[in-house]
Amino acid sequence: MRTSQYSHQYIDEKDISSVIDVLKSDWLTTGPKVPEFEDAFANDVNAKYAVAVSSGTAALHTAMFALGISPGDEVIVPAMTFAATANSVVFQGGTPVFCDVDSDTLLIDPVKAARSVSPRTRAVIAVDYTGHPCDYESLEQVAEFNDITSVSDACHSLGGKYKGRKVGSLAKLNIFSFHPVKHITTGEGGMITTDDEALAKRMRIFRNHGINSSFQQRKQKASWFYEMTTLGFNYRITDFQCALGLSQLKKLPGLISRRQEIAKRYDEAFADSPHINGLGVNPEVSHAYHLYVVKLNLEGLTKDRTEIFRNLTRKGVRVNVHYIPVHLHPFYRMNFNTGPGLCPVAEEAYERIISLPLSHNMSDPDVEYIIKTVNRVVDSSGG
Ligand SMILES: *Cc1c(COP(=O)(O)O)cnc(C)c1O
């Protein structure tokens, strides 16, 4: 069964032929498909500029560079996220300051974020964990009051909305990933959206070795001349990846609505379960459902999460756990003196969360099989 993965990409014939077209063209990388994808993406999320790069992690790093994060600077990040969110701060020599999350949504808590601000704080990265957009109004107030920049790690939430506004236009810089588990894929790939022209320009230079003119510009001018003005990386994305991204982007509304449909079915199915609690969803958002995470009510169970996880996997329901709180990883414990007790809400949630399979190509019978199996496995461990 395809449901055995917690997520799965969707590639159709149109995607394949759009990639083949590029493979037969003159440009494999940094050709016309890159700005075409950027423009379509910016347009889709209501942002002025979009900068495409080689991964979501590269996008985060590029954003931290554009903000000028450097040694001594602090950036507030939620404990409940993928390690790359915090790592991007470290790439620039900055210090991630881990902020605890709200116990109902597991999203960064704006009140706790405000309390984490110090004279060295430069930015806050909000993560739209599971696809639920954060409380950007409160976060923007915190950012404005403290003169810091709001960044949105929207790797889970493409297609989501907050108070009618689209994800991708909610923070100064907005980060996306096109890894195959995400809503749309380019194999590997990422994007940053912003309304700030100067930041967009800095990011385009950074992704291309710190060189201040594009290959196309030089070709037009028939000139060999270029200048490296800053230390950048090769974070470029290829033209055939952007062709895939363009083709995938057209399918986004359909992919999101199917995910929302499956999530609704899960909501209904577990609403009365004494052992399973869904995460909170704020009424002002449209949830993009990258993940469907449930919390086990361990107090009423005789088995722990590990055992339930194993039993589900054995029955073909390939669940996952998102995430091990980042501050518990040995790298952060050793280098930033973090550890248990720093973010108790995230740590407590971590012991009980399970991500159920969720991908748009799951059939209704797949969904029902998962529900039945989850209820059986969990109820059989009921005390
Ligand atoms: C996937 C993801 C990333 C990293 O994206 P890659 O494209 O895999 O580098 C960063 N942050 C979050 C929250 C993610 O889910």
mmCIF file of all heavy atoms in Angstrom, residues 355-376:
data_model
loop_
_atom_site.group_PDB
_atom_site.id
_atom_site.type_symbol
_atom_site.label_atom_id
_atom_site.label_comp_id
_atom_site.label_asym_id
_atom_site.label_seq_id
_atom_site.Cartn_x
_atom_site.Cartn_y
_atom_site.Cartn_z
ATOM 1 N N SER A 355 2.900 11.322 13.857
ATOM 2 C CA SER A 355 2.375 11.851 12.588
ATOM 3 C C SER A 355 1.746 10.699 11.818
ATOM 4 O O SER A 355 2.415 9.706 11.520
ATOM 5 C CB SER A 355 3.489 12.456 11.741
ATOM 6 O OG SER A 355 4.220 13.399 12.490
ATOM 7 N N LEU A 356 0.469 10.833 11.509
ATOM 8 C CA LEU A 356 -0.218 9.802 10.729
ATOM 9 C C LEU A 356 0.068 10.008 9.244
ATOM 10 O O LEU A 356 0.369 11.122 8.823
ATOM 11 C CB LEU A 356 -1.726 9.878 10.981
ATOM 12 C CG LEU A 356 -2.175 9.708 12.424
ATOM 13 C CD1 LEU A 356 -3.699 9.691 12.509
ATOM 14 C CD2 LEU A 356 -1.610 8.422 13.029
ATOM 15 N N PRO A 357 -0.035 8.945 8.437
ATOM 16 C CA PRO A 357 0.192 9.111 6.995
ATOM 17 C C PRO A 357 -0.763 10.165 6.428
ATOM 18 O O PRO A 357 -1.937 10.197 6.797
ATOM 19 C CB PRO A 357 -0.124 7.729 6.421
ATOM 20 C CG PRO A 357 0.074 6.789 7.565
ATOM 21 C CD PRO A 357 -0.352 7.562 8.789
ATOM 22 N N LEU A 358 -0.238 11.027 5.581
ATOM 23 C CA LEU A 358 -1.072 12.056 4.949
ATOM 24 C C LEU A 358 -0.443 12.443 3.622
ATOM 25 O O LEU A 358 0.614 13.062 3.583
ATOM 26 C CB LEU A 358 -1.171 13.295 5.845
ATOM 27 C CG LEU A 358 -1.959 14.477 5.283
ATOM 28 C CD1 LEU A 358 -3.402 14.109 4.994
ATOM 29 C CD2 LEU A 358 -1.906 15.666 6.241
ATOM 30 N N SER A 359 -1.065 11.998 2.537
ATOM 31 C CA SER A 359 -0.632 12.480 1.238
ATOM 32 C C SER A 359 -1.848 12.468 0.344
ATOM 33 O O SER A 359 -2.793 11.705 0.563
ATOM 34 C CB SER A 359 0.499 11.634 0.655
ATOM 35 O OG SER A 359 0.034 10.377 0.287
ATOM 36 N N HIS A 360 -1.829 13.350 -0.644
ATOM 37 C CA HIS A 360 -3.061 13.585 -1.380
ATOM 38 C C HIS A 360 -3.478 12.336 -2.177
ATOM 39 O O HIS A 360 -4.644 12.157 -2.475
ATOM 40 C CB HIS A 360 -2.899 14.798 -2.281
ATOM 41 C CG HIS A 360 -2.816 14.451 -3.683
ATOM 42 N ND1 HIS A 360 -1.694 13.879 -4.211
ATOM 43 C CD2 HIS A 360 -3.746 14.481 -4.651
ATOM 44 C CE1 HIS A 360 -1.943 13.605 -5.453
ATOM 45 N NE2 HIS A 360 -3.156 13.960 -5.754
ATOM 46 N N ASN A 361 -2.524 11.446 -2.496
ATOM 47 C CA ASN A 361 -2.895 10.266 -3.287
ATOM 48 C C ASN A 361 -3.342 9.060 -2.459
ATOM 49 O O ASN A 361 -3.476 7.963 -2.978
ATOM 50 C CB ASN A 361 -1.802 9.901 -4.296
ATOM 51 C CG ASN A 361 -0.412 9.978 -3.718
ATOM 52 O OD1 ASN A 361 -0.243 10.159 -2.510
ATOM 53 N ND2 ASN A 361 0.591 9.824 -4.549
ATOM 54 N N MET A 362 -3.610 9.265 -1.189
ATOM 55 C CA MET A 362 -4.227 8.204 -0.392
ATOM 56 C C MET A 362 -5.705 8.124 -0.783
ATOM 57 O O MET A 362 -6.384 9.145 -0.897
ATOM 58 C CB MET A 362 -4.126 8.544 1.101
ATOM 59 C CG MET A 362 -2.765 8.250 1.695
ATOM 60 S SD MET A 362 -2.445 9.109 3.266
ATOM 61 C CE MET A 362 -3.873 8.703 4.216
ATOM 62 N N SER A 363 -6.191 6.903 -0.958
ATOM 63 C CA SER A 363 -7.611 6.737 -1.314
ATOM 64 C C SER A 363 -8.458 6.751 -0.034
ATOM 65 O O SER A 363 -7.919 6.624 1.073
ATOM 66 C CB SER A 363 -7.809 5.399 -2.033
ATOM 67 O OG SER A 363 -7.603 4.343 -1.109
ATOM 68 N N ASP A 364 -9.762 6.878 -0.183
ATOM 69 C CA ASP A 364 -10.644 6.832 0.989
ATOM 70 C C ASP A 364 -10.492 5.511 1.756
ATOM 71 O O ASP A 364 -10.405 5.531 2.985
ATOM 72 C CB ASP A 364 -12.102 7.075 0.585
ATOM 73 C CG ASP A 364 -12.346 8.525 0.173
ATOM 74 O OD1 ASP A 364 -11.475 9.386 0.478
ATOM 75 O OD2 ASP A 364 -13.376 8.807 -0.459
ATOM 76 N N PRO A 365 -10.462 4.347 1.049
ATOM 77 C CA PRO A 365 -10.236 3.098 1.801
ATOM 78 C C PRO A 365 -8.891 3.083 2.544
ATOM 79 O O PRO A 365 -8.804 2.532 3.643
ATOM 80 C CB PRO A 365 -10.260 2.018 0.706
ATOM 81 C CG PRO A 365 -11.076 2.615 -0.390
ATOM 82 C CD PRO A 365 -10.813 4.082 -0.362
ATOM 83 N N ASP A 366 -7.858 3.705 1.972
ATOM 84 C CA ASP A 366 -6.567 3.813 2.681
ATOM 85 C C ASP A 366 -6.770 4.552 4.006
ATOM 86 O O ASP A 366 -6.280 4.114 5.054
ATOM 87 C CB ASP A 366 -5.547 4.634 1.866
ATOM 88 C CG ASP A 366 -5.054 3.921 0.608
ATOM 89 O OD1 ASP A 366 -5.208 2.689 0.534
ATOM 90 O OD2 ASP A 366 -4.528 4.615 -0.289
ATOM 91 N N VAL A 367 -7.490 5.666 3.928
ATOM 92 C CA VAL A 367 -7.707 6.498 5.114
ATOM 93 C C VAL A 367 -8.481 5.698 6.167
ATOM 94 O O VAL A 367 -8.129 5.700 7.353
ATOM 95 C CB VAL A 367 -8.465 7.800 4.750
ATOM 96 C CG1 VAL A 367 -8.762 8.640 5.997
ATOM 97 C CG2 VAL A 367 -7.663 8.624 3.738
ATOM 98 N N GLU A 368 -9.520 4.980 5.722
ATOM 99 C CA GLU A 368 -10.328 4.197 6.667
ATOM 100 C C GLU A 368 -9.511 3.073 7.298
ATOM 101 O O GLU A 368 -9.667 2.783 8.489
ATOM 102 C CB GLU A 368 -11.581 3.633 5.977
ATOM 103 C CG GLU A 368 -12.550 4.708 5.477
ATOM 104 C CD GLU A 368 -12.909 5.757 6.534
ATOM 105 O OE1 GLU A 368 -13.197 5.384 7.688
ATOM 106 O OE2 GLU A 368 -12.882 6.967 6.193
ATOM 107 N N TYR A 369 -8.621 2.468 6.509
ATOM 108 C CA TYR A 369 -7.754 1.410 7.052
ATOM 109 C C TYR A 369 -6.855 1.976 8.155
ATOM 110 O O TYR A 369 -6.686 1.361 9.216
ATOM 111 C CB TYR A 369 -6.896 0.772 5.941
ATOM 112 C CG TYR A 369 -5.889 -0.218 6.488
ATOM 113 C CD1 TYR A 369 -6.273 -1.509 6.856
ATOM 114 C CD2 TYR A 369 -4.556 0.155 6.686
ATOM 115 C CE1 TYR A 369 -5.357 -2.409 7.398
ATOM 116 C CE2 TYR A 369 -3.639 -0.730 7.230
ATOM 117 C CZ TYR A 369 -4.043 -2.018 7.580
ATOM 118 O OH TYR A 369 -3.144 -2.898 8.124
ATOM 119 N N ILE A 370 -6.314 3.147 7.892
ATOM 120 C CA ILE A 370 -5.428 3.786 8.879
ATOM 121 C C ILE A 370 -6.207 4.098 10.165
ATOM 122 O O ILE A 370 -5.748 3.788 11.270
ATOM 123 C CB ILE A 370 -4.789 5.067 8.293
ATOM 124 C CG1 ILE A 370 -3.786 4.681 7.201
ATOM 125 C CG2 ILE A 370 -4.090 5.890 9.379
ATOM 126 C CD1 ILE A 370 -3.418 5.816 6.262
ATOM 127 N N ILE A 371 -7.393 4.659 10.016
ATOM 128 C CA ILE A 371 -8.210 5.010 11.187
ATOM 129 C C ILE A 371 -8.527 3.763 12.017
ATOM 130 O O ILE A 371 -8.345 3.737 13.235
ATOM 131 C CB ILE A 371 -9.514 5.713 10.738
ATOM 132 C CG1 ILE A 371 -9.181 7.107 10.183
ATOM 133 C CG2 ILE A 371 -10.522 5.798 11.882
ATOM 134 C CD1 ILE A 371 -10.336 7.779 9.455
ATOM 135 N N LYS A 372 -8.962 2.724 11.313
ATOM 136 C CA LYS A 372 -9.331 1.475 11.992
ATOM 137 C C LYS A 372 -8.116 0.905 12.727
ATOM 138 O O LYS A 372 -8.212 0.490 13.886
ATOM 139 C CB LYS A 372 -9.837 0.475 10.930
ATOM 140 C CG LYS A 372 -10.631 -0.678 11.489
ATOM 141 C CD LYS A 372 -11.154 -1.589 10.374
ATOM 142 C CE LYS A 372 -9.974 -2.273 9.681
ATOM 143 N NZ LYS A 372 -10.353 -3.048 8.488
ATOM 144 N N THR A 373 -6.974 0.888 12.041
ATOM 145 C CA THR A 373 -5.771 0.305 12.626
ATOM 146 C C THR A 373 -5.280 1.123 13.816
ATOM 147 O O THR A 373 -4.914 0.565 14.852
ATOM 148 C CB THR A 373 -4.657 0.195 11.554
ATOM 149 O OG1 THR A 373 -5.211 -0.403 10.390
ATOM 150 C CG2 THR A 373 -3.493 -0.636 12.052
ATOM 151 N N VAL A 374 -5.294 2.434 13.669
ATOM 152 C CA VAL A 374 -4.839 3.290 14.770
ATOM 153 C C VAL A 374 -5.745 3.080 15.988
ATOM 154 O O VAL A 374 -5.259 2.872 17.106
ATOM 155 C CB VAL A 374 -4.833 4.786 14.349
ATOM 156 C CG1 VAL A 374 -4.639 5.701 15.561
ATOM 157 C CG2 VAL A 374 -3.737 5.052 13.316
ATOM 158 N N ASN A 375 -7.049 3.089 15.774
ATOM 159 C CA ASN A 375 -7.971 2.890 16.904
ATOM 160 C C ASN A 375 -7.757 1.535 17.569
ATOM 161 O O ASN A 375 -7.738 1.435 18.789
ATOM 162 C CB ASN A 375 -9.421 3.036 16.437
ATOM 163 C CG ASN A 375 -9.862 4.495 16.452
ATOM 164 O OD1 ASN A 375 -9.406 5.284 17.292
ATOM 165 N ND2 ASN A 375 -10.723 4.864 15.520
ATOM 166 N N ARG A 376 -7.572 0.496 16.757
ATOM 167 C CA ARG A 376 -7.365 -0.855 17.324
ATOM 168 C C ARG A 376 -6.091 -0.919 18.148
ATOM 169 O O ARG A 376 -6.084 -1.420 19.265
ATOM 170 C CB ARG A 376 -7.272 -1.885 16.195
ATOM 171 C CG ARG A 376 -8.635 -2.389 15.827
ATOM 172 C CD ARG A 376 -8.544 -3.697 15.077
ATOM 173 N NE ARG A 376 -9.839 -3.903 14.438
ATOM 174 C CZ ARG A 376 -10.011 -4.466 13.266
ATOM 175 N NH1 ARG A 376 -8.984 -4.940 12.592
ATOM 176 N NH2 ARG A 376 -11.206 -4.616 12.758
#
